[in-house]
Amino acid sequence: MIVFREAGPGDFDAILRLYRQLHPEDPSIRDGVGVAVFAGILRSPGLHLFVLESTGEVVATTYLNVIPNLTRSASPYAVIENVVVDAELRGTGLGRRIMDATLQAAWDAGCYKAMLLTGSRDPATHAFYRACGFSAEAKTAYLARPPSTTA
């Protein structure tokens, strides 16, 4: 049985396991910091951390940010981040299921658009997002990062 739901406090370890698959080079989170950030995410209005369960195990996750807006008749917009399906289960339709449900949550929240960025150069990743209804031609994305500091 497949279940789409908002993440809860007990999902922390399962979500971190998926995030390690997404960004294996990320350093480990210091003791207590990750738990505190996770609790803050779960409490924040407009931030929705979703999971997809299969037979009681978290196998995919997405992060939906619903952002208030004064344009488009004051309709909010959505930003989707950290889309991950367990590496062993990719290609089984779970990605499409969690993305469809995440987009429906955005539409249910009154969002007039949903955006996402990907750093992937894999053509299959881009084909997946196009199949989910995203267009790479509609907008141009730019990314800035803080300047590197050296001690």
Side-chain angles (χ1 to χ4, degrees), residues 4 8 11 17 31 47 50 62 64 69 90 120 131 142 148 151:
F4 173 80
D11 295 315
R17 179 184 61 79
D31 288 341
L47 303 183
F50 294 120
T62 59
L64 173 68
N69 182 37
R90 292 179 189 157
S120 175
Y142 292 90
S148 176

Side-chain angles (χ1 to χ4, degrees), residues 13-139:
D13 290 333
I15 290 169
L16 275 189
R17 179 184 61 79
L18 291 171
Y19 285 172
R20 278 191 288 279
Q21 292 179 17
L22 181 64
H23 296 293
E25 71 285 351
D26 274 3
S28 295
I29 299 173
R30 294 186 319 264
D31 288 341
V33 172
V35 172
V37 170
F38 186 69
I41 290 167
L42 297 181
R43 288 193 307 271
S44 296
L47 303 183
H48 304 278
L49 186 53
F50 294 120
V51 296
L52 196 68
E53 282 185 355
S54 176
T55 60
E57 181 179 339
V58 173
V59 294
T61 187
T62 59
Y63 189 36
L64 173 68
N65 302 275
V66 176
I67 302 166
N69 182 37
L70 287 173
T71 64
R72 306 293 181 156
S73 300
S75 297
Y77 62 94
V79 176
I80 299 170
E81 285 285 326
N82 301 330
V83 179
V84 192
V85 173
D86 187 289
E88 293 182 14
L89 298 171
R90 292 179 189 157
T92 63
L94 294 174
R96 184 59 186 254
R97 287 184 77 161
I98 196 165
M99 187 58 73
D100 286 348
T102 301
L103 283 170
Q104 188 59 55
W107 310 148
D108 290 348
C111 295
Y112 80 94
K113 70 179 177 182
M115 302 181 293
L116 63 79
L117 298 171
T118 181
S120 175
R121 300 288 183 230
D122 184 345
T125 301
H126 294 270
F128 168 72
Y129 288 130
R130 282 193 304 278
C132 290
F134 290 90
S135 169
E137 287 77 38
K139 294 270 186 176

